[in-house]
Amino acid sequence: MTNDIAAAASATALPLAPGNWALDPFHSSVNFTIRHLGIAKVRGRFERLEAELFVGERAEDARVSATVDLASIDTGNADRDAHVRASDLLDVQKRPTMTYRSTRVSGEGEDWTMEGELTIGEVTRPVTLAVEFGGLVEVPMDGSRHAGFEATGEIRRSEFGLDFAPGLLGEVVKIQLDMQFVEPKND
């Protein structure tokens, strides 16, 4: 019994209401940075994503999943985007989506860590993201409550079989996610 009480006391409570939080796609984005020729950064984003946040009673119960449409890449240059989608690079016909599924969430206050599995095509690898909780705010227009998060991390392209254009493109891709989720309504 004492171990159960100690475990319950050490469990981190979340400042969010339990339930399935809906993504606010108009205020969320998936961005990336990769080096070109080793001397400059190319920045881009993916326009289409879906994500779900399940909040339990404790941080340990939280789960996040997200799916990104890889064909929705936007680097600000339509010709480059078409080339990146092609079979000699990203090959969106073979790899239409990128998915992330959390396996563990830990932290407190504003600073959290989310461990999970990232899948691109048929390759799945562990990826850990540093997560900053931006806060919880009630929207004046409709009374809904939104929670904001920023998650950052990096992946190595070769670990996902994306080792095309070595020397032209960097090995490391830095990821930044800015996400808002809407609190579930208690009906």
Side-chain angles (χ1 to χ4, degrees):
M1 187 74 140
T2 304
N3 288 341
D4 291 339
I5 293 171
S10 69
T12 305
L14 291 174
L16 305 175
N20 291 307
W21 288 63
L23 179 70
D24 176 353
F26 302 110
H27 300 100
S28 299
S29 62
V30 177
N31 306 290
F32 66 89
T33 305
I34 188 168
R35 288 259 178 208
H36 180 253
L37 299 175
I39 59 171
K41 292 180 182 177
V42 172
R43 299 174 191 281
R45 63 180 282 142
F46 292 96
E47 297 291 329
R48 292 187 298 271
L49 74 138
E50 297 175 1
E52 298 174 356
L53 167 63
F54 171 79
V55 176
E57 296 296 327
R58 307 169 303 148
E60 295 81 6
D61 301 326
R63 294 187 306 273
V64 175
S65 63
T67 301
V68 174
D69 178 351
L70 293 179
S72 71
I73 191 169
D74 179 5
T75 64
N77 181 305
D79 291 337
R80 176 174 48 213
D81 296 344
H83 186 214
V84 171
R85 289 183 195 103
S87 62
D88 60 328
L89 295 180
L90 193 53
D91 195 356
V92 297
Q93 295 298 318
K94 181 179 170 184
R95 300 177 190 96
T97 61
M98 170 173 55
T99 60
Y100 185 81
R101 183 181 61 81
S102 68
T103 56
R104 183 171 185 266
V105 176
S106 59
E108 60 183 87
E110 294 179 2
D111 299 314
W112 295 79
T113 299
M114 183 167 47
E115 298 172 27
E117 297 178 336
L118 179 68
T119 301
I120 302 175
E122 296 181 7
V123 180
T124 301
R125 297 282 183 262
V127 171
T128 299
L129 300 172
V131 179
E132 179 185 330
F133 175 53
L136 179 65
V137 175
E138 184 172 312
V139 176
M141 284 79 70
D142 65 6
S144 65
R145 291 175 18 124
H146 290 227
F149 303 89
E150 178 185 21
T152 57
E154 57 184 48
I155 63 170
R156 301 184 75 73
R157 293 187 311 125
S158 62
E159 292 178 0
F160 292 90
L162 303 174
D163 50 1
F164 49 80
L168 291 175
L169 295 175
E171 167 67 359
V172 174
V173 180
K174 294 184 179 184
I175 302 165
Q176 178 183 348
L177 301 108
D178 294 298
M179 310 293 279
Q180 276 192 41
F181 289 92
V182 181
E183 184 176 61
K185 296 196 185 295
N186 293 328
D187 296 327

